[in-house]
Amino acid sequence: MSNGIPCVWMRGGTSKGGIFNASDLPSDETTRDQLLLEIMGSPDNRQIDGMGGSDPLTSKVGVVKKSSHPDCDVDYLFLQVFIDQAIVTDAQNCGNILAAVGPYAVEKGLVKATGNMTTVTVFMENTSQIAVLQVQTPNGKVTYQGDAQIDGVPGKSAPVICEFKETAGSTCGALYPSGNLRDSIDGVDVTLIDNGMPVVVLNASDFGLNGTESRIELDNNTELKRRLESIRLQAGPIMNLGDVTEKSVPKMSLVSVATKGGCISTRTFIPHRCHASIGVLGAVSVATAAITEDTVAHPLANVSERAEKMLAIEHPTGEITVVANTKGDQLISAALLRTARKLFEGSVFPLEK
């Protein structure tokens, strides 16, 4: 039997995947990526010969190590493992898997627990951003039990507060990489934005939708997906992302008026399948568009005048609330409540050669 590789399988937010110590993976990226494809069971729609769960939300990897950056505790590299293609990409962050990085770092001794709450400062390698996590550590030990609840996850867990700093333009080089609050692609008004996640924001009504359609209904709408992909491929170069044919960004977020008292409603493609909810950093980008006049999202949004805004971004399975500190219509910082849980710890095995 081939040698196993130490791994902790964790749920972070509404995603789950394998968390690895960087020292346990090959340093060569090509070798590492092939290994992760084998571990996940890709390419295969069912990922039957691996750990992946046949959904982009369950085919994710976090690679963690002691930080080499001043004022940070750990470095975190997020890798999205495609399901039906032999692709592993680091083109984006994942704020959901990030929520698992804090507890992992404390449990593995990369960060020492300090009292009942431990701060873990994370350097996100994908975009050179910094996130500050608050991890519950009663009596100096990580706990996953608590009363926090997030939509898309059954039950209650310990809260993990994730605050993001200086996220504007982290991937595309500018908050609005085209230089405009609105552009037109294929005759459709779009807002191209990157506040931690590159997103193309579109009005659902421009596609004959009311924005409340189910995930399954949208996934089965082949004409909609064709139109979205055409726009996405053209948006890539405009957003300084180059050819995005084989990239997982930008995300495509259809927005509409909130129906459950929130800020705005979303249906997000990641990029070719409709998300069961919405990514953490994708929610930050949509929330930023919502509070900014002249964007596609702003006329549809319900936004308070307070400097600290509670922006509930609705999605197919509930909502995710972005706590936005603003100055005028400028977002100064954003924090989100996530939860995490350790599911499995042991060894995973690549294919035997």
Side-chain angles (χ1 to χ4, degrees), residues 181-182 191 289 292-299:
L181 296 174
R182 287 191 187 221
T191 291
T292 307
E293 292 186 11
D294 299 326
T295 66
V296 169
H298 188 265

Side-chain angles (χ1 to χ4, degrees), residues 143-165:
T143 182
Y144 298 99
Q145 296 182 331
D147 294 324
Q149 190 168 12
I150 61 174
D151 287 330
V153 178
K156 297 179 180 181
S157 305
V160 180
I161 306 300
C162 307
E163 181 182 2
F164 300 97
K165 298 180 179 293

Side-chain angles (χ1 to χ4, degrees), residues 193 199 201 253 255 264 266 278 281-291 297 313:
I193 187 169
V199 176
V201 181
S253 194
V255 296
I264 199 164
T266 62
I278 186 173
L281 290 163
V284 173
S285 288
V286 170
T288 305
I291 65 174
I313 308 302

Side-chain angles (χ1 to χ4, degrees), residues 103-126:
Y104 173 90
V106 177
E107 284 214 45
K108 290 300 181 182
L110 297 172
V111 177
K112 184 179 179 180
T114 55
N116 293 330
M117 177 90 73
T118 299
T119 298
V120 180
T121 305
V122 181
F123 182 84
M124 297 186 286
E125 294 188 53
N126 301 73

Side-chain angles (χ1 to χ4, degrees), residues 123-316:
F123 182 84
M124 297 186 286
E125 294 188 53
N126 301 73
T127 53
S128 299
Q129 294 169 241
I130 293 176
V132 179
L133 313 182
Q134 301 294 334
V135 179
Q136 303 295 312
T137 53
N139 301 313
K141 293 184 178 181
V142 172
T143 182
Y144 298 99
Q145 296 182 331
D147 294 324
Q149 190 168 12
I150 61 174
D151 287 330
V153 178
K156 297 179 180 181
S157 305
V160 180
I161 306 300
C162 307
E163 181 182 2
F164 300 97
K165 298 180 179 293
E166 300 179 358
T167 54
S170 54
T171 299
C172 300
L175 180 61
Y176 297 99
S178 72
N180 305 314
L181 296 174
R182 287 191 187 221
D183 292 281
S184 179
I185 302 177
D186 285 350
V188 177
D189 278 358
V190 300
T191 291
L192 310 178
I193 187 169
D194 170 22
N195 202 3
M197 178 65 69
V199 176
V200 179
V201 181
L202 316 99
N203 190 329
S205 66
D206 287 338
F207 296 85
L209 303 171
N210 58 30
T212 61
E213 291 80 3
S214 71
R215 181 189 188 193
I216 293 175
E217 183 179 351
L218 294 175
D219 267 339
N220 290 332
N221 190 332
T222 54
E223 176 59 17
L224 168 66
K225 294 171 78 170
R226 183 196 67 78
R227 291 182 65 189
L228 289 177
E229 183 64 0
S230 174
I231 293 171
R232 193 180 80 88
L233 293 177
Q234 294 174 72
I238 300 172
M239 298 179 76
N240 301 317
L241 296 169
D243 182 358
V244 297
T245 304
E246 296 187 345
K247 294 182 179 179
S248 55
V249 289
K251 311 300 187 187
M252 309 294 287
S253 194
L254 299 165
V255 296
S256 58
V257 173
T259 60
K260 300 175 182 177
C263 169
I264 199 164
S265 180
T266 62
R267 295 294 185 269
T268 302
F269 287 76
I270 56 172
H272 304 126
R273 295 174 66 176
C274 187
H275 202 312
S277 53
I278 186 173
V280 167
L281 290 163
V284 173
S285 288
V286 170
T288 305
I291 65 174
T292 307
E293 292 186 11
D294 299 326
T295 66
V296 169
H298 188 265
L300 304 170
N302 175 28
V303 179
S304 77
E305 297 298 322
R306 295 177 57 186
E308 182 177 273
K309 306 179 191 299
M310 304 291 287
L311 305 174
I313 308 302
E314 298 180 1
H315 54 68

Side-chain angles (χ1 to χ4, degrees), residues 15-128:
S15 297
K16 64 180 176 181
I19 313 296
F20 296 86
N21 191 307
S23 63
D24 293 323
L25 293 174
S27 57
D28 176 71
E29 290 185 11
T30 301
T31 305
R32 178 202 68 195
D33 290 354
Q34 179 57 41
L35 183 70
L36 294 176
L37 288 165
E38 294 174 8
I39 289 170
M40 284 294 185
S42 299
D44 173 49
N45 283 329
R46 293 190 298 158
Q47 292 182 316
I48 194 65
D49 202 31
M51 297 292 292
S54 303
D55 189 291
L57 302 183
T58 58
S59 188
K60 298 185 173 188
V61 168
V63 183
V64 183
K65 63 184 178 184
K66 196 75 174 176
S67 184
S68 58
H69 296 84
D71 303 323
C72 291
D73 297 309
V74 294
D75 295 342
Y76 154 56
L77 175 68
F78 171 70
L79 298 171
Q80 179 74 57
V81 182
F82 278 46
I83 296 169
D84 57 352
Q85 301 178 65
I87 296 174
V88 178
T89 177
D90 63 358
Q92 66 178 78
N93 274 324
C94 179
N96 277 305
I97 293 297
L98 170 69
V101 169
Y104 173 90
V106 177
E107 284 214 45
K108 290 300 181 182
L110 297 172
V111 177
K112 184 179 179 180
T114 55
N116 293 330
M117 177 90 73
T118 299
T119 298
V120 180
T121 305
V122 181
F123 182 84
M124 297 186 286
E125 294 188 53
N126 301 73
T127 53
S128 299

